[in-house]
Amino acid sequence: MEELLSINIRIAGRNYPLSVLPEDEETAREAGRLVNERFLGEKNKKKKRDDMDILAVIAVMNTVRWLNARSEKLALQEKITQRITRLDELIDSTLTT
């Protein structure tokens, strides 16, 4: 079992300790940076909003993006599977005739 790294991610002025696999460190740091950038952008737009409200909205919007990407990936996988099946059928019909 691989050893986890302890890292800190800074979001909204607070440090959050995370334990990540070594191969996920760069991605986790990038994710923290992107969330913090989005937080700062939203904070500048809506100065009177509470930090937790802004972070909640960011969490929902990121989840929406993730769900959309997952749906697109599944649709693409299905399309690829159908094309491979069709190619396999064409090859079989060519070889058997």
Side-chain angles (χ1 to χ4, degrees):
M1 185 170 193
E2 207 168 344
E3 193 74 27
L4 295 177
L5 293 176
S6 293
I7 64 171
N8 283 301
I9 304 295
R10 190 161 181 83
I11 300 172
R14 294 179 65 180
N15 285 323
Y16 294 92
L18 295 175
S19 295
V20 298
L21 292 170
E23 62 265 27
D24 293 336
E25 179 184 8
E26 186 177 332
T27 303
R29 290 186 187 282
E30 178 73 2
R33 186 187 64 74
L34 291 171
V35 169
N36 195 55
E37 282 180 7
R38 187 123 187 243
F39 169 80
L40 293 173
E42 291 295 320
K43 183 78 170 169
N44 288 334
K45 282 191 236 174
K46 300 173 173 101
K47 294 183 189 276
K48 293 183 182 181
R49 281 184 95 172
D50 179 61
D51 289 355
M52 289 303 291
D53 291 341
I54 294 170
L55 289 171
V57 169
I58 291 169
V60 170
M61 294 310 297
N62 284 344
T63 303
V64 167
R65 287 180 183 162
W66 181 82
L67 290 170
N68 286 338
R70 185 179 68 173
S71 289
E72 290 172 13
K73 175 186 168 191
L74 292 173
L76 183 59
Q77 285 175 328
E78 179 61 28
K79 194 174 190 178
I80 290 169
T81 299
Q82 289 173 356
R83 287 186 180 182
I84 290 172
T85 301
R86 180 65 184 133
L87 287 171
D88 192 43
E89 290 168 354
L90 288 170
I91 291 169
D92 282 348
S93 69
T94 302
L95 292 175
T96 57
T97 56

Coordinates of all heavy atoms in Angstrom, one line a residue:
M1 N 0.8 -1.2 0.0 CA 0.0 0.0 0.0 C 0.9 1.2 0.0 O 1.8 1.3 0.7 CB -0.9 0.0 1.2 CG -1.9 1.1 1.2 SD -3.1 0.8 2.6 CE -4.3 2.0 2.1
E2 N 0.5 2.2 -0.8 CA 1.3 3.4 -1.0 C 1.2 4.4 0.2 O 0.1 4.5 0.7 CB 0.9 4.1 -2.3 CG 2.1 4.9 -2.9 CD 1.7 5.3 -4.3 OE1 0.8 4.7 -5.0 OE2 2.5 6.2 -4.8
E3 N 2.2 5.0 0.5 CA 2.3 6.0 1.6 C 1.6 7.3 1.1 O 1.7 7.7 0.0 CB 3.7 6.3 2.0 CG 3.9 7.0 3.2 CD 3.7 6.2 4.5 OE1 3.8 4.9 4.4 OE2 3.3 6.7 5.5
L4 N 0.8 7.8 2.0 CA 0.1 9.1 1.7 C 1.0 10.3 2.1 O 1.7 10.2 3.1 CB -1.2 9.2 2.5 CG -2.3 8.2 2.1 CD1 -3.5 8.3 3.0 CD2 -2.7 8.3 0.7
L5 N 0.8 11.3 1.3 CA 1.5 12.6 1.6 C 0.6 13.5 2.4 O -0.6 13.6 2.1 CB 2.0 13.3 0.4 CG 3.0 12.7 -0.5 CD1 3.2 13.5 -1.8 CD2 4.3 12.6 0.3
S6 N 1.1 14.2 3.3 CA 0.3 15.3 4.0 C 0.7 16.6 3.4 O 1.8 17.0 3.4 CB 0.7 15.3 5.5 OG 0.3 14.1 6.1
I7 N -0.4 17.3 2.8 CA -0.2 18.6 2.2 C -1.2 19.5 2.8 O -2.2 19.1 3.4 CB -0.3 18.5 0.7 CG1 -1.7 18.1 0.3 CG2 0.7 17.6 0.1 CD1 -2.0 18.2 -1.2
N8 N -1.0 20.8 2.6 CA -1.9 21.8 3.0 C -2.4 22.6 1.8 O -1.6 23.0 0.9 CB -1.3 22.8 4.0 CG -1.2 22.2 5.4 OD1 -2.2 21.9 6.0 ND2 0.1 22.1 5.9
I9 N -3.7 22.8 1.7 CA -4.3 23.6 0.6 C -4.9 24.8 1.3 O -5.6 24.7 2.3 CB -5.4 22.8 -0.1 CG1 -4.9 21.4 -0.6 CG2 -6.1 23.6 -1.2 CD1 -3.8 21.5 -1.7
R10 N -4.6 26.0 0.7 CA -5.2 27.2 1.2 C -6.3 27.7 0.4 O -6.2 27.9 -0.8 CB -4.1 28.3 1.3 CG -4.5 29.5 2.1 CD -3.2 30.3 2.5 NE -3.6 31.5 3.2 CZ -3.8 31.5 4.5 NH1 -3.7 30.4 5.2 NH2 -4.1 32.7 5.1
I11 N -7.5 27.8 1.0 CA -8.7 28.3 0.3 C -9.4 29.3 1.3 O -9.6 29.0 2.5 CB -9.7 27.1 0.0 CG1 -9.0 26.1 -0.9 CG2 -11.0 27.6 -0.6 CD1 -9.8 24.8 -1.1
A12 N -9.8 30.4 0.7 CA -10.5 31.4 1.4 C -9.8 31.8 2.7 O -10.4 32.1 3.8 CB -11.9 30.9 1.8
G13 N -8.5 31.9 2.6 CA -7.7 32.4 3.7 C -7.4 31.4 4.8 O -6.9 31.7 5.9
R14 N -7.9 30.1 4.6 CA -7.7 29.1 5.6 C -6.9 27.9 5.0 O -7.0 27.6 3.8 CB -9.1 28.6 6.1 CG -9.8 29.7 6.8 CD -11.2 29.2 7.3 NE -11.0 28.1 8.3 CZ -12.0 27.5 8.8 NH1 -13.3 27.8 8.5 NH2 -11.8 26.5 9.7
N15 N -6.1 27.3 5.9 CA -5.4 26.1 5.5 C -6.2 24.8 5.7 O -6.8 24.7 6.8 CB -4.0 26.0 6.2 CG -3.0 27.0 5.7 OD1 -3.0 27.3 4.5 ND2 -2.2 27.6 6.5
Y16 N -6.2 23.9 4.8 CA -6.9 22.7 4.9 C -5.9 21.5 4.7 O -5.3 21.4 3.6 CB -8.0 22.6 3.9 CG -9.1 23.6 4.2 CD1 -9.1 24.8 3.5 CD2 -10.1 23.3 5.0 CE1 -10.1 25.8 3.8 CE2 -11.1 24.2 5.3 CZ -11.1 25.4 4.7 OH -12.0 26.4 4.9
P17 N -5.6 20.7 5.7 CA -4.7 19.6 5.6 C -5.4 18.5 4.8 O -6.5 18.2 5.0 CB -4.4 19.2 7.0 CG -5.5 19.7 7.8 CD -6.1 20.9 7.1
L18 N -4.6 17.9 3.9 CA -5.1 16.8 3.1 C -4.1 15.7 3.1 O -2.9 15.9 3.1 CB -5.3 17.2 1.6 CG -6.4 18.2 1.3 CD1 -6.4 18.5 -0.2 CD2 -7.8 17.7 1.7
S19 N -4.5 14.4 3.0 CA -3.7 13.3 2.8 C -3.9 12.8 1.4 O -5.1 12.4 1.1 CB -3.9 12.2 3.9 OG -3.6 12.7 5.1
V20 N -2.9 12.7 0.6 CA -3.1 12.3 -0.8 C -2.0 11.4 -1.2 O -0.9 11.3 -0.6 CB -3.1 13.6 -1.8 CG1 -4.2 14.5 -1.5 CG2 -1.7 14.3 -1.7
L21 N -2.3 10.6 -2.3 CA -1.3 9.7 -2.8 C -0.3 10.6 -3.5 O -0.6 11.7 -4.0 CB -1.9 8.8 -3.9 CG -2.9 7.7 -3.3 CD1 -3.6 7.0 -4.4 CD2 -2.1 6.7 -2.5
P22 N 1.0 10.2 -3.6 CA 2.0 11.0 -4.2 C 1.6 11.4 -5.7 O 1.9 12.5 -6.1 CB 3.3 10.1 -4.2 CG 3.1 9.2 -3.0 CD 1.6 9.0 -3.0
E23 N 1.0 10.5 -6.4 CA 0.7 10.8 -7.8 C -0.5 11.8 -7.9 O -0.8 12.3 -9.0 CB 0.4 9.5 -8.6 CG -0.8 8.7 -8.1 CD -0.4 7.6 -7.2 OE1 0.7 7.7 -6.5 OE2 -1.2 6.6 -7.1
D24 N -1.2 12.0 -6.8 CA -2.3 13.0 -6.8 C -2.0 14.3 -6.2 O -2.8 15.2 -6.2 CB -3.5 12.4 -6.0 CG -4.1 11.2 -6.6 OD1 -4.0 11.0 -7.9 OD2 -4.7 10.4 -5.9
E25 N -0.8 14.5 -5.7 CA -0.4 15.7 -5.1 C -0.5 16.9 -6.0 O -1.2 17.9 -5.6 CB 1.1 15.7 -4.6 CG 1.5 17.0 -3.9 CD 3.0 17.0 -3.5 OE1 3.7 16.0 -3.8 OE2 3.3 18.0 -2.8
E26 N 0.0 16.8 -7.2 CA -0.1 18.0 -8.1 C -1.5 18.3 -8.5 O -1.9 19.5 -8.5 CB 0.7 17.7 -9.4 CG 0.8 18.8 -10.4 CD 1.6 18.5 -11.6 OE1 2.5 17.6 -11.5 OE2 1.4 19.1 -12.6
T27 N -2.3 17.3 -8.7 CA -3.8 17.5 -9.0 C -4.5 18.2 -7.8 O -5.3 19.1 -8.0 CB -4.4 16.2 -9.4 OG1 -3.7 15.7 -10.5 CG2 -5.9 16.4 -9.8
A28 N -4.2 17.7 -6.6 CA -4.9 18.3 -5.4 C -4.5 19.7 -5.2 O -5.3 20.6 -4.9 CB -4.5 17.4 -4.2
R29 N -3.2 20.0 -5.4 CA -2.8 21.4 -5.3 C -3.4 22.3 -6.4 O -3.8 23.4 -6.1 CB -1.2 21.5 -5.3 CG -0.6 20.9 -4.1 CD 0.9 21.2 -4.1 NE 1.6 20.5 -3.1 CZ 1.6 20.9 -1.8 NH1 1.0 22.0 -1.4 NH2 2.3 20.2 -0.9
E30 N -3.5 21.8 -7.6 CA -4.1 22.5 -8.7 C -5.6 22.8 -8.4 O -6.1 23.9 -8.6 CB -3.9 21.8 -10.0 CG -4.6 22.5 -11.2 CD -3.9 23.7 -11.6 OE1 -2.9 24.1 -11.1 OE2 -4.5 24.4 -12.6
A31 N -6.3 21.7 -7.8 CA -7.7 21.9 -7.5 C -7.9 22.9 -6.4 O -8.8 23.8 -6.5 CB -8.2 20.5 -7.0
G32 N -7.0 22.9 -5.4 CA -7.1 23.9 -4.3 C -6.9 25.3 -4.9 O -7.6 26.3 -4.5
R33 N -5.9 25.5 -5.8 CA -5.6 26.8 -6.4 C -6.8 27.2 -7.2 O -7.2 28.4 -7.1 CB -4.4 26.7 -7.3 CG -3.9 28.0 -7.9 CD -2.8 27.9 -8.9 NE -3.2 27.1 -10.1 CZ -4.0 27.6 -11.1 NH1 -4.5 28.8 -11.0 NH2 -4.3 26.9 -12.1
L34 N -7.4 26.3 -8.0 CA -8.6 26.7 -8.8 C -9.8 27.1 -7.9 O -10.5 28.1 -8.2 CB -9.0 25.6 -9.7 CG -8.0 25.3 -10.9 CD1 -8.4 24.1 -11.6 CD2 -7.9 26.5 -11.8
V35 N -10.0 26.4 -6.9 CA -11.2 26.7 -6.0 C -10.9 28.1 -5.3 O -11.8 28.9 -5.2 CB -11.4 25.6 -4.9 CG1 -12.3 26.1 -3.8 CG2 -11.9 24.3 -5.5
N36 N -9.7 28.3 -4.9 CA -9.3 29.6 -4.3 C -9.5 30.7 -5.2 O -10.0 31.8 -4.9 CB -7.9 29.6 -3.7 CG -7.7 30.7 -2.7 OD1 -8.5 30.9 -1.8 ND2 -6.7 31.5 -3.0
E37 N -9.0 30.5 -6.5 CA -9.2 31.6 -7.5 C -10.7 31.9 -7.7 O -11.1 33.0 -7.8 CB -8.6 31.2 -8.8 CG -7.1 31.3 -8.9 CD -6.5 30.9 -10.2 OE1 -7.2 30.6 -11.1 OE2 -5.2 30.8 -10.2
R38 N -11.5 30.8 -7.8 CA -12.9 31.0 -8.1 C -13.5 31.7 -6.8 O -14.4 32.6 -7.0 CB -13.6 29.6 -8.3 CG -15.0 29.7 -8.7 CD -15.2 29.0 -10.0 NE -16.6 29.2 -10.4 CZ -17.5 28.3 -10.5 NH1 -17.1 27.0 -10.3 NH2 -18.7 28.6 -10.9
F39 N -13.1 31.3 -5.6 CA -13.6 32.0 -4.4 C -13.3 33.5 -4.5 O -14.2 34.3 -4.2 CB -13.0 31.3 -3.2 CG -13.2 32.1 -1.9 CD1 -14.5 32.0 -1.3 CD2 -12.3 33.0 -1.4 CE1 -14.7 32.8 -0.1 CE2 -12.5 33.7 -0.3 CZ -13.8 33.6 0.4
L40 N -12.0 33.8 -4.8 CA -11.7 35.2 -4.8 C -12.4 36.0 -5.8 O -12.8 37.2 -5.6 CB -10.2 35.4 -5.0 CG -9.3 34.8 -3.9 CD1 -7.8 34.9 -4.3 CD2 -9.5 35.6 -2.6
G41 N -12.7 35.4 -7.0 CA -13.4 36.0 -8.0 C -14.9 36.3 -7.6 O -15.4 37.4 -7.8
E42 N -15.5 35.3 -7.0 CA -16.9 35.4 -6.5 C -16.9 36.4 -5.3 O -17.9 37.2 -5.2 CB -17.4 34.1 -6.0 CG -17.7 33.1 -7.2 CD -18.8 33.6 -8.1 OE1 -19.8 34.2 -7.7 OE2 -18.6 33.4 -9.3
K43 N -15.9 36.4 -4.5 CA -15.9 37.3 -3.3 C -15.8 38.8 -3.8 O -16.5 39.7 -3.2 CB -14.7 37.0 -2.5 CG -14.5 37.8 -1.2 CD -15.5 37.3 -0.2 CE -15.2 38.0 1.2 NZ -16.2 37.7 2.1
N44 N -15.0 39.0 -4.9 CA -14.9 40.4 -5.4 C -16.2 40.8 -6.1 O -16.6 42.0 -6.0 CB -13.8 40.5 -6.4 CG -12.4 40.4 -5.7 OD1 -12.3 40.8 -4.6 ND2 -11.4 40.0 -6.4
K45 N -17.0 39.9 -6.7 CA -18.2 40.3 -7.3 C -19.4 40.5 -6.3 O -20.2 41.4 -6.5 CB -18.7 39.1 -8.2 CG -18.0 39.0 -9.5 CD -18.8 38.0 -10.4 CE -17.9 36.9 -10.9 NZ -18.6 35.9 -11.6
K46 N -19.4 39.7 -5.2 CA -20.5 39.8 -4.2 C -19.9 40.0 -2.9 O -19.8 39.1 -2.0 CB -21.2 38.5 -4.3 CG -21.8 38.2 -5.6 CD -22.5 36.8 -5.7 CE -23.2 36.7 -7.0 NZ -22.5 35.9 -8.0
K47 N -19.4 41.2 -2.6 CA -18.7 41.6 -1.4 C -19.5 41.3 -0.1 O -18.9 41.1 0.9 CB -18.2 43.0 -1.5 CG -17.2 43.3 -2.6 CD -16.7 44.7 -2.6 CE -15.9 45.0 -3.8 NZ -14.5 44.6 -3.8
K48 N -20.8 41.3 -0.2 CA -21.6 41.2 1.1 C -21.9 39.7 1.4 O -22.5 39.5 2.4 CB -22.8 42.0 1.0 CG -22.6 43.5 0.9 CD -23.8 44.3 0.9 CE -23.5 45.8 0.9 NZ -24.6 46.6 0.9
R49 N -21.6 38.8 0.5 CA -21.9 37.4 0.8 C -20.9 36.8 1.7 O -19.7 37.1 1.8 CB -21.9 36.6 -0.5 CG -23.1 36.8 -1.3 CD -23.1 36.0 -2.5 NE -23.9 34.8 -2.3 CZ -24.2 33.9 -3.2 NH1 -23.8 34.2 -4.5 NH2 -24.8 32.8 -3.0
D50 N -21.5 35.9 2.5 CA -20.7 35.2 3.5 C -19.7 34.2 2.8 O -20.1 33.6 1.7 CB -21.6 34.4 4.4 CG -20.9 33.5 5.5 OD1 -20.2 34.1 6.3 OD2 -21.1 32.3 5.4
D51 N -18.5 34.0 3.3 CA -17.6 33.1 2.7 C -18.1 31.7 2.5 O -17.9 31.0 1.5 CB -16.3 33.0 3.5 CG -15.5 34.3 3.5 OD1 -15.8 35.2 2.7 OD2 -14.5 34.3 4.2
M52 N -18.9 31.2 3.5 CA -19.4 29.8 3.4 C -20.5 29.8 2.3 O -20.6 28.7 1.6 CB -20.1 29.4 4.7 CG -19.0 29.1 5.8 SD -17.9 27.8 5.3 CE -18.9 26.4 5.3
D53 N -21.3 30.8 2.1 CA -22.2 30.8 1.0 C -21.5 30.7 -0.4 O -21.9 30.0 -1.2 CB -23.1 32.1 1.0 CG -24.0 32.2 2.2 OD1 -24.3 31.1 2.8 OD2 -24.5 33.3 2.5
I54 N -20.4 31.5 -0.5 CA -19.7 31.5 -1.7 C -19.1 30.1 -2.0 O -19.1 29.6 -3.1 CB -18.5 32.6 -1.7 CG1 -19.2 34.0 -1.7 CG2 -17.6 32.4 -2.9 CD1 -18.2 35.1 -1.4
L55 N -18.5 29.5 -0.9 CA -17.9 28.2 -1.1 C -19.0 27.1 -1.4 O -18.7 26.2 -2.2 CB -17.1 27.8 0.2 CG -15.8 28.6 0.4 CD1 -15.2 28.3 1.8 CD2 -14.8 28.3 -0.7
A56 N -20.1 27.3 -0.8 CA -21.2 26.3 -1.1 C -21.6 26.4 -2.6 O -21.8 25.4 -3.3 CB -22.4 26.6 -0.2
V57 N -21.8 27.6 -3.1 CA -22.1 27.8 -4.5 C -21.0 27.2 -5.4 O -21.3 26.6 -6.4 CB -22.4 29.3 -4.8 CG1 -22.4 29.6 -6.3 CG2 -23.6 29.8 -4.1
I58 N -19.8 27.5 -5.1 CA -18.7 26.9 -5.9 C -18.7 25.4 -5.8 O -18.5 24.7 -6.9 CB -17.3 27.4 -5.3 CG1 -17.2 28.9 -5.6 CG2 -16.1 26.6 -5.9 CD1 -16.0 29.6 -4.9
A59 N -19.0 24.8 -4.7 CA -19.1 23.3 -4.6 C -20.2 22.8 -5.5 O -20.0 21.8 -6.2 CB -19.3 22.9 -3.1
V60 N -21.4 23.5 -5.5 CA -22.5 23.0 -6.3 C -22.1 23.2 -7.8 O -22.4 22.2 -8.6 CB -23.8 23.8 -6.0 CG1 -24.9 23.5 -7.0 CG2 -24.2 23.4 -4.6
M61 N -21.6 24.3 -8.2 CA -21.2 24.5 -9.6 C -20.2 23.5 -10.1 O -20.2 23.0 -11.2 CB -20.8 26.0 -9.8 CG -21.9 27.0 -9.6 SD -23.5 26.6 -10.4 CE -23.0 26.7 -12.1
N62 N -19.2 23.3 -9.2 CA -18.2 22.3 -9.6 C -18.8 20.9 -9.7 O -18.4 20.1 -10.6 CB -17.0 22.3 -8.6 CG -16.1 23.5 -8.8 OD1 -16.1 24.1 -9.8 ND2 -15.3 23.7 -7.7
T63 N -19.7 20.6 -8.9 CA -20.4 19.3 -9.0 C -21.2 19.2 -10.2 O -21.2 18.1 -10.9 CB -21.2 19.0 -7.7 OG1 -20.4 19.1 -6.6 CG2 -21.9 17.6 -7.7
V64 N -21.9 20.2 -10.6 CA -22.6 20.3 -11.9 C -21.7 20.0 -13.0 O -22.0 19.2 -13.9 CB -23.4 21.6 -12.0 CG1 -23.9 21.8 -13.4 CG2 -24.5 21.7 -11.0
R65 N -20.6 20.7 -13.1 CA -19.6 20.5 -14.1 C -19.1 19.0 -14.2 O -19.0 18.4 -15.2 CB -18.4 21.4 -14.0 CG -18.7 22.8 -14.3 CD -17.5 23.7 -14.1 NE -17.7 25.1 -14.3 CZ -17.0 26.1 -13.9 NH1 -15.9 25.8 -13.2 NH2 -17.3 27.3 -14.1
W66 N -18.8 18.5 -13.0 CA -18.4 17.1 -12.9 C -19.4 16.1 -13.4 O -19.1 15.2 -14.2 CB -18.0 16.8 -11.5 CG -17.5 15.4 -11.3 CD1 -16.2 14.9 -11.6 CD2 -18.2 14.2 -10.9 NE1 -16.1 13.6 -11.3 CE2 -17.4 13.1 -10.9 CE3 -19.6 14.0 -10.5 CZ2 -17.8 11.8 -10.6 CZ3 -20.0 12.8 -10.2 CH2 -19.1 11.7 -10.2
L67 N -20.7 16.3 -13.0 CA -21.8 15.5 -13.5 C -22.0 15.6 -15.0 O -22.2 14.6 -15.7 CB -23.1 15.8 -12.7 CG -23.1 15.4 -11.3 CD1 -24.3 16.0 -10.6 CD2 -23.0 13.9 -11.1
N68 N -21.9 16.8 -15.5 CA -22.0 17.0 -17.0 C -20.9 16.3 -17.7 O -21.1 15.6 -18.7 CB -22.0 18.5 -17.4 CG -23.4 19.1 -17.0 OD1 -24.4 18.4 -16.9 ND2 -23.3 20.4 -16.8
A69 N -19.7 16.4 -17.2 CA -18.5 15.7 -17.8 C -18.7 14.2 -17.8 O -18.4 13.5 -18.7 CB -17.2 16.2 -17.1
R70 N -19.2 13.7 -16.7 CA -19.4 12.3 -16.5 C -20.4 11.8 -17.5 O -20.3 10.8 -18.2 CB -19.9 11.9 -15.1 CG -20.0 10.4 -14.9 CD -20.4 10.1 -13.5 NE -21.8 10.5 -13.3 CZ -22.5 10.3 -12.2 NH1 -21.9 9.6 -11.2 NH2 -23.7 10.7 -12.1
S71 N -21.5 12.5 -17.7 CA -22.6 12.2 -18.7 C -22.0 12.2 -20.1 O -22.3 11.3 -20.9 CB -23.7 13.1 -18.6 OG -24.5 13.0 -17.5
E72 N -21.2 13.2 -20.4 CA -20.6 13.3 -21.7 C -19.6 12.1 -22.0 O -19.6 11.5 -23.1 CB -19.8 14.6 -21.9 CG -20.7 15.8 -22.0 CD -20.0 17.1 -22.0 OE1 -18.7 17.1 -22.2 OE2 -20.6 18.1 -21.9
K73 N -18.9 11.7 -20.9 CA -18.0 10.6 -21.0 C -18.7 9.3 -21.3 O -18.3 8.5 -22.1 CB -17.1 10.5 -19.7 CG -16.2 9.3 -19.7 CD -15.6 9.1 -18.3 CE -14.9 7.8 -18.2 NZ -14.5 7.5 -16.8
L74 N -19.8 9.1 -20.5 CA -20.6 7.9 -20.7 C -21.2 7.8 -22.1 O -21.2 6.7 -22.7 CB -21.7 7.8 -19.6 CG -21.2 7.6 -18.2 CD1 -22.3 7.7 -17.2 CD2 -20.5 6.2 -18.1
A75 N -21.7 8.9 -22.6 CA -22.3 9.0 -23.9 C -21.2 8.6 -25.0 O -21.5 7.9 -25.9 CB -22.9 10.3 -24.2
L76 N -20.0 9.2 -24.8 CA -18.9 8.9 -25.7 C -18.5 7.5 -25.7 O -18.3 6.9 -26.7 CB -17.7 9.9 -25.4 CG -16.5 9.8 -26.4 CD1 -16.9 10.0 -27.8 CD2 -15.4 10.7 -25.9
Q77 N -18.4 6.9 -24.5 CA -18.1 5.5 -24.4 C -19.1 4.6 -25.1 O -18.8 3.7 -25.7 CB -18.0 5.1 -22.9 CG -16.8 5.6 -22.2 CD -16.8 5.3 -20.7 OE1 -17.8 5.2 -20.0 NE2 -15.6 5.1 -20.2
E78 N -20.4 5.0 -24.9 CA -21.4 4.2 -25.6 C -21.3 4.3 -27.1 O -21.4 3.3 -27.8 CB -22.8 4.7 -25.2 CG -24.0 4.0 -25.8 CD -24.0 2.5 -25.5 OE1 -23.5 2.0 -24.4 OE2 -24.5 1.7 -26.4
K79 N -21.0 5.5 -27.6 CA -20.8 5.7 -29.1 C -19.7 4.9 -29.6 O -19.7 4.2 -30.6 CB -20.6 7.2 -29.3 CG -20.8 7.6 -30.8 CD -20.7 9.1 -30.9 CE -21.0 9.6 -32.2 NZ -21.0 11.0 -32.3
I80 N -18.6 4.9 -28.8 CA -17.4 4.1 -29.2 C -17.7 2.6 -29.2 O -17.3 1.9 -30.1 CB -16.2 4.5 -28.3 CG1 -15.7 5.9 -28.6 CG2 -15.1 3.4 -28.5 CD1 -14.7 6.4 -27.6
T81 N -18.4 2.2 -28.2 CA -18.7 0.7 -28.1 C -19.6 0.3 -29.3 O -19.4 -0.7 -29.9 CB -19.5 0.5 -26.8 OG1 -18.6 0.8 -25.7 CG2 -19.9 -1.0 -26.7
Q82 N -20.6 1.2 -29.7 CA -21.4 0.9 -30.8 C -20.6 0.8 -32.1 O -20.8 -0.1 -32.9 CB -22.5 1.9 -31.0 CG -23.6 1.9 -29.9 CD -24.5 3.0 -29.9 OE1 -24.4 3.9 -30.7 NE2 -25.5 3.0 -29.1
R83 N -19.7 1.7 -32.3 CA -18.8 1.7 -33.5 C -17.9 0.5 -33.5 O -17.7 -0.1 -34.6 CB -18.0 3.0 -33.6 CG -18.9 4.2 -33.9 CD -18.1 5.4 -34.2 NE -19.0 6.5 -34.5 CZ -18.6 7.7 -34.8 NH1 -17.3 8.0 -34.8 NH2 -19.4 8.7 -35.1
I84 N -17.4 0.1 -32.4 CA -16.5 -1.1 -32.4 C -17.3 -2.3 -32.7 O -16.9 -3.2 -33.4 CB -15.8 -1.2 -31.0 CG1 -14.7 -0.1 -30.9 CG2 -15.2 -2.6 -30.8 CD1 -14.1 0.0 -29.5
T85 N -18.5 -2.4 -32.1 CA -19.4 -3.5 -32.4 C -19.7 -3.6 -33.9 O -19.7 -4.6 -34.5 CB -20.7 -3.4 -31.6 OG1 -20.4 -3.4 -30.2 CG2 -21.7 -4.5 -31.9
R86 N -20.0 -2.4 -34.5 CA -20.3 -2.4 -35.9 C -19.1 -2.8 -36.8 O -19.3 -3.6 -37.7 CB -20.8 -1.0 -36.3 CG -21.1 -0.8 -37.8 CD -22.4 -1.6 -38.2 NE -22.6 -1.5 -39.6 CZ -22.9 -2.5 -40.4 NH1 -23.0 -3.7 -40.0 NH2 -23.0 -2.2 -41.7
L87 N -17.9 -2.3 -36.4 CA -16.7 -2.7 -37.1 C -16.5 -4.2 -37.0 O -16.1 -4.9 -37.9 CB -15.5 -2.0 -36.6 CG -15.4 -0.5 -37.0 CD1 -14.3 0.2 -36.2 CD2 -15.2 -0.4 -38.5
D88 N -16.7 -4.8 -35.8 CA -16.6 -6.2 -35.6 C -17.5 -7.0 -36.4 O -17.2 -8.0 -37.0 CB -16.8 -6.5 -34.1 CG -16.4 -7.9 -33.7 OD1 -15.3 -8.4 -34.1 OD2 -17.1 -8.5 -32.9
E89 N -18.8 -6.5 -36.5 CA -19.8 -7.2 -37.4 C -19.3 -7.1 -38.8 O -19.5 -8.1 -39.6 CB -21.1 -6.5 -37.2 CG -21.8 -6.8 -35.9 CD -23.0 -5.9 -35.6 OE1 -23.3 -5.0 -36.4 OE2 -23.6 -6.1 -34.6
L90 N -18.8 -6.0 -39.3 CA -18.3 -5.9 -40.7 C -17.2 -6.8 -41.0 O -17.1 -7.5 -42.0 CB -17.9 -4.4 -41.0 CG -19.1 -3.4 -41.1 CD1 -18.5 -2.0 -41.2 CD2 -19.9 -3.7 -42.3
I91 N -16.3 -6.9 -40.0 CA -15.1 -7.8 -40.2 C -15.6 -9.3 -40.2 O -15.2 -10.0 -41.1 CB -14.1 -7.6 -39.1 CG1 -13.4 -6.2 -39.2 CG2 -13.1 -8.7 -39.1 CD1 -12.6 -5.8 -38.1
D92 N -16.5 -9.6 -39.3 CA -17.0 -11.0 -39.3 C -17.7 -11.3 -40.6 O -17.5 -12.4 -41.2 CB -18.0 -11.2 -38.1 CG -17.2 -11.4 -36.8 OD1 -16.0 -11.6 -36.8 OD2 -17.9 -11.3 -35.8
S93 N -18.5 -10.4 -41.1 CA -19.3 -10.7 -42.3 C -18.4 -10.8 -43.5 O -18.6 -11.6 -44.4 CB -20.4 -9.6 -42.6 OG -19.8 -8.4 -42.9
T94 N -17.3 -10.0 -43.5 CA -16.3 -10.1 -44.6 C -15.5 -11.4 -44.6 O -15.3 -12.0 -45.6 CB -15.3 -8.9 -44.5 OG1 -16.1 -7.7 -44.6 CG2 -14.3 -8.9 -45.7
L95 N -15.2 -11.8 -43.4 CA -14.4 -13.1 -43.3 C -15.2 -14.3 -43.5 O -14.7 -15.4 -43.9 CB -13.8 -13.2 -41.8 CG -12.7 -12.2 -41.5 CD1 -12.3 -12.3 -40.1 CD2 -11.5 -12.3 -42.5
T96 N -16.5 -14.3 -43.3 CA -17.4 -15.4 -43.5 C -18.0 -15.5 -44.9 O -18.6 -16.5 -45.2 CB -18.5 -15.4 -42.4 OG1 -19.3 -14.3 -42.5 CG2 -18.0 -15.6 -41.0
T97 N -17.8 -14.5 -45.7 CA -18.3 -14.6 -47.0 C -17.3 -15.0 -48.1 O -16.2 -15.1 -47.9 CB -19.0 -13.3 -47.5 OG1 -18.0 -12.3 -47.4 CG2 -20.2 -13.0 -46.7

